[in-house]
Amino acid sequence: MENRKYYQVVDELASLRKASPFNLRFSQLMEYAFQQSYGLWYRDAIRVATLFAAALLGGAHIVQWLSGLSVHPFVELGRLGSIAMLIATYVYVARSKRLIYQHLLVNLNALVATLVILSFCISYPAPFKHIFYTAIIFVQIFVFALIRMPFMSAFFGALVILAVSNVAIYYDGTPAAEWFFLTFFLVAGAILSLVICYRMERGARENHLQSILISMERDQLKLQNAKLKERLSEDPVTHLLNRRTFENAVLDKWNRAFHNRKESALVAISIESLKKLNQMRGSDAGDDLLKSVARQIKKILFESDDVAARISGGRFCVLLSNASNSEISRRMKRLRKGLLSISILQEDEISNAGIRISVATNVLVPDAEGDSRDAIVRVMRDVEPMFFVENEQDADVEALLAS
C-alpha cells in the first residue's frame, strides 16, 4: 500500500471532522480530485434547480394573469431578465467542460430572483405580498440545500439575501410586528438551508475520503491475496512451482497443446544422493545446490507456456510447450551446460560420494482420442521412470553433454 498517500487521506479525514463549517476544504490536489468526482452531480443539481426556478417564475406570471393582478412593466422586465439568466446558466453548465464560475452564477441568479420577488412584494397588496416574502425561503432552499454550494459561498449568499430582504421590507413600510415575523421566517429558512448545506457537504467529503480508503484497502487486500497465492503455489527454496500447482499447469498446457496440435517436451531432472550432501555439508549446502539447479532451469523457460516445478526433494520437472525438436535440443544443451557449470558438483569429494545430476527428456504428443482429465496421470506416468532409471542406463550431465 502507498503508505504515504494512505496516511495523507487519513489525516485529511481527521482534519475534516475537526474543521469548522467555514473551513471545509482539502489540500490542493485532494480538493481538485473531490471537485472532479462530484462535477457531474453539481451539473445535474444546477440544471434541475435553474429549470425549476425558471418554471416557477413563468408559472407565477400565469397565476398573476388568471388572478387579474398587474405589476409595473419594469417588474415584468425583471422577471424576464431573471428567467433569461436562469436559462443562460443552464446552458453554461450543460456545455462548459470546466465549471469555473458556477458558484458565482448561482449566487447571482439567487440574488436577481430575490430582487424580482421583492419587487412583487412591493407591488402587490396584502396578503399577496406576504406570500411572496415567504417565497424567498424557496430561493434559499434551492440555492443552499438542493444545489449544495460550498458552505462559505452559501453563507455569504444567505447574508446578502437577508440584507436585501430586510431593506425591501423597510422600504415597503411594513409594520414592526409583520417585519418581525417575516424576518424570523426568512432567518429560520436561511439557517435550516445552511445546516442542510453544511451536513450534505461534510457528508459528501467524508464519503469521498472513505471511498478512497476503501479502494486502497481493497487493492492492498488483492495484492496480499496475490502474494499469498504465489507463495502457496511455489516451492519456498527454489521459487519454482510446487507439485500441486505444476499438475494444474500441466493439465492446462496439455489441453492447449491438444487444440493447437503442438508437441511438448517433459524434462526430468534429479539430484542423486542429495541426502548424502546434506549429511556431509549441511542442509544449507543442499539448499544452495537446489537453488543453483533452479537458476539453470529458469534460463531455458522462454515461452509463456513453459512451466517448471520442484516435485520433491532433489526432483524437478520442466514442461516445454509448443517447441520444435530443434528448439528442444538447443535448450537441453544449454541446460546441461549450465548444470555442468555448478561448482560444487566439480569437487572430487562430491563426485566420489555419488552426488550428481541426471537429466532425461520425453516428447509428449497429445492424443487425439485421449481424455484431458487423464493428462496429469499420463504425464506423471511418463515422468516417474525418469527419476528411477537404473544406474547402468543412466547418464549424468557430463556424459550427456559429451554426447
Side-chain angles (χ1 to χ4, degrees):
M1 182 182 297
E2 300 180 11
N3 291 331
R4 184 177 179 181
K5 182 178 180 181
Y6 181 83
Y7 288 114
Q8 180 185 359
V9 177
V10 172
D11 291 340
E12 291 277 6
L13 183 58
S15 300
L16 176 65
R17 290 171 176 172
K18 297 178 182 178
S20 68
F22 300 98
N23 194 29
L24 294 179
R25 287 188 64 84
F26 301 138
S27 60
Q28 185 175 0
L29 293 178
M30 194 70 68
E31 183 67 24
Y32 177 78
F34 172 74
Q35 296 297 338
Q36 289 294 315
S37 64
Y38 280 84
L40 182 61
W41 189 94
Y42 278 127
R43 287 178 186 272
D44 291 341
I46 294 175
R47 290 164 63 182
V48 170
T50 51
L51 283 181
F52 195 72
L56 284 179
L57 288 175
H61 176 73
I62 297 175
V63 172
Q64 168 193 325
W65 177 73
L66 293 176
S67 303
L69 298 174
S70 61
V71 294
H72 196 276
F74 285 109
V75 176
E76 290 292 349
L77 185 62
R79 189 213 307 263
L80 293 177
S82 178
I83 294 175
M85 283 189 61
L86 290 168
I87 295 176
T89 301
Y90 176 90
V91 174
Y92 167 77
V93 171
R95 295 188 177 183
S96 177
K97 295 181 179 179
R98 298 179 60 189
L99 297 179
I100 301 177
Y101 306 106
Q102 75 273 22
H103 301 319
L104 176 63
L105 286 175
V106 170
N107 269 328
L108 184 60
N109 275 283
L111 178 60
V112 172
T114 300
L115 292 174
V116 171
I117 293 174
L118 291 174
S119 65
F120 290 151
C121 296
I122 296 174
S123 302
Y124 288 158
F128 296 104
K129 65 170 55 185
H130 298 151
I131 296 175
F132 276 96
Y133 275 127
T134 55
I136 298 176
I137 297 177
F138 288 101
V139 177
Q140 297 171 336
I141 293 175
F142 269 105
V143 175
F144 310 135
L146 179 60
I147 299 179
R148 204 195 68 205
M149 294 174 57
F151 185 82
M152 181 69 73
S153 179
F155 179 78
F156 286 108
L159 289 181
V160 172
I161 290 177
L162 288 176
V164 171
S165 299
N166 278 275
V167 170
I169 293 173
Y170 174 79
Y171 178 78
D172 196 23
T174 305
E178 295 182 11
W179 173 86
F180 175 79
F181 279 107
L182 289 174
T183 302
F184 171 78
F185 281 114
L186 292 176
V187 171
I191 293 176
L192 177 62
S193 301
L194 290 175
V195 169
I196 295 174
C197 176
Y198 166 70
R199 291 181 62 86
M200 291 183 65
E201 182 180 3
R202 179 173 174 173
R205 290 179 178 272
E206 286 188 0
N207 291 337
H208 176 71
L209 294 178
Q210 289 173 350
S211 66
I212 295 177
L213 292 176
I214 292 174
S215 177
M216 295 176 69
E217 291 170 355
R218 183 172 58 247
D219 293 341
Q220 176 65 9
L221 183 60
K222 289 181 180 179
L223 180 61
Q224 290 178 346
N225 287 337
K227 289 182 178 179
L228 180 60
K229 183 178 180 180
E230 182 179 356
R231 289 180 60 185
L232 293 175
S233 65
E234 68 179 21
D235 173 61
V237 178
T238 62
H239 297 292
L240 298 176
L241 298 180
N242 56 32
R243 178 163 186 158
R244 181 177 181 180
T245 310
F246 178 73
E247 290 176 351
N248 294 333
V250 167
L251 179 58
D252 177 66
K253 309 306 178 185
W254 180 274
N255 291 333
R256 190 175 304 178
F258 171 75
H259 290 295
N260 295 334
R261 297 295 190 270
K262 296 288 186 179
E263 295 181 351
S264 300
L266 195 63
V267 182
I269 304 166
S270 177
I271 304 176
E272 299 181 16
S273 302
L274 180 62
K275 291 182 179 180
K276 189 177 293 186
L277 175 62
N278 291 332
Q279 294 172 356
M280 294 171 57
R281 300 286 182 88
S283 59
D284 290 342
D287 289 346
D288 290 340
L289 179 57
L290 291 171
K291 293 176 183 178
S292 298
V293 174
R295 282 194 294 268
Q296 299 304 324
I297 291 175
K298 291 176 181 178
K299 292 180 180 180
I300 67 169
L301 303 179
F302 296 156
E303 303 296 333
S304 59
D305 286 341
D306 295 343
V307 289
R310 179 188 175 196
I311 301 300
S312 64
R315 302 162 61 194
F316 298 83
C317 271
V318 182
L319 182 67
L320 304 177
S321 302
N322 301 332
S324 62
N325 291 333
S326 60
E327 176 66 18
I328 293 173
S329 177
R330 187 178 67 83
R331 293 198 207 178
M332 290 306 301
K333 288 182 179 179
R334 181 174 182 178
L335 173 63
R336 291 163 180 163
K337 183 177 180 180
L339 294 175
L340 183 63
S341 67
I342 297 177
S343 58
I344 191 172
L345 297 177
Q346 300 174 3
E347 299 179 12
D348 292 337
E349 180 185 8
I350 300 300
S351 178
N352 294 333
I355 301 171
R356 62 175 187 170
I357 299 178
S358 297
V359 180
T361 307
N362 188 14
V363 177
L364 305 176
V365 180
D367 187 358
E369 299 180 357
D371 187 348
S372 62
R373 291 172 295 182
D374 299 329
I376 294 177
V377 176
R378 284 178 289 167
V379 168
M380 298 313 299
R381 180 194 60 200
D382 293 333
V383 173
E384 293 294 346
M386 298 181 190
F387 292 115
F388 298 103
V389 291
E390 297 296 333
N391 289 337
E392 60 269 16
Q393 296 176 341
D394 219 0
D396 60 14
V397 176
E398 190 171 6
L400 286 169
L401 180 62
S403 62

